[in-house]
Amino acid sequence: MENLGNLGQFLPIILMFVVIYFLMIRPQQKRVKKEKEFESMIKVGDRIITKSGIHGKIAELAETSIVLETMAGKLKMERSAISMEMSQKLNTKA
């Protein structure tokens, strides 16, 4: 019977961790997975927007970086700097 009492003491803490997992950690993991898929699907010629708001077209692709062609010239940046949400909005408007 004492084991059930001890479990009762920890039940609120366990429930709190479960709620945190489903409300915060799991959605974040899903978003990261979607962003990785998006980064792997981009190709030369795609129009994108970076997280800092730079618009351009992909001129070259490397394993972890891209060369972005903008009106000001070419910029080399990491694939992770591409904003999935803004790039998708840009491409659905066209």
Side-chain angles (χ1 to χ4, degrees), residues 20-76:
I20 288 172
Y21 175 78
F22 281 105
L23 292 179
M24 297 176 72
I25 298 170
R26 191 162 183 241
Q28 176 70 15
Q29 289 174 337
K30 282 184 174 183
R31 200 183 101 227
V32 167
K33 184 180 176 185
K34 281 177 129 179
E35 285 181 359
K36 294 280 184 199
E37 288 175 14
F38 175 75
E39 287 175 21
S40 69
M41 304 245 332
I42 60 174
K43 57 191 178 304
V44 173
D46 284 354
R47 293 176 22 192
I48 60 148
I49 301 174
T50 65
K51 291 179 181 175
S52 60
I54 299 171
H55 292 240
K57 189 188 324 186
I58 296 177
E60 296 175 34
L61 286 172
E63 191 172 322
T64 60
S65 63
I66 63 166
V67 174
L68 186 65
E69 188 175 338
T70 66
M71 293 181 75
K74 292 185 178 183
L75 303 169
K76 184 174 184 174

Side-chain angles (χ1 to χ4, degrees), residues 1 4 52 62 81 90:
M1 273 312 209
L4 290 176
S52 60
L90 172 72

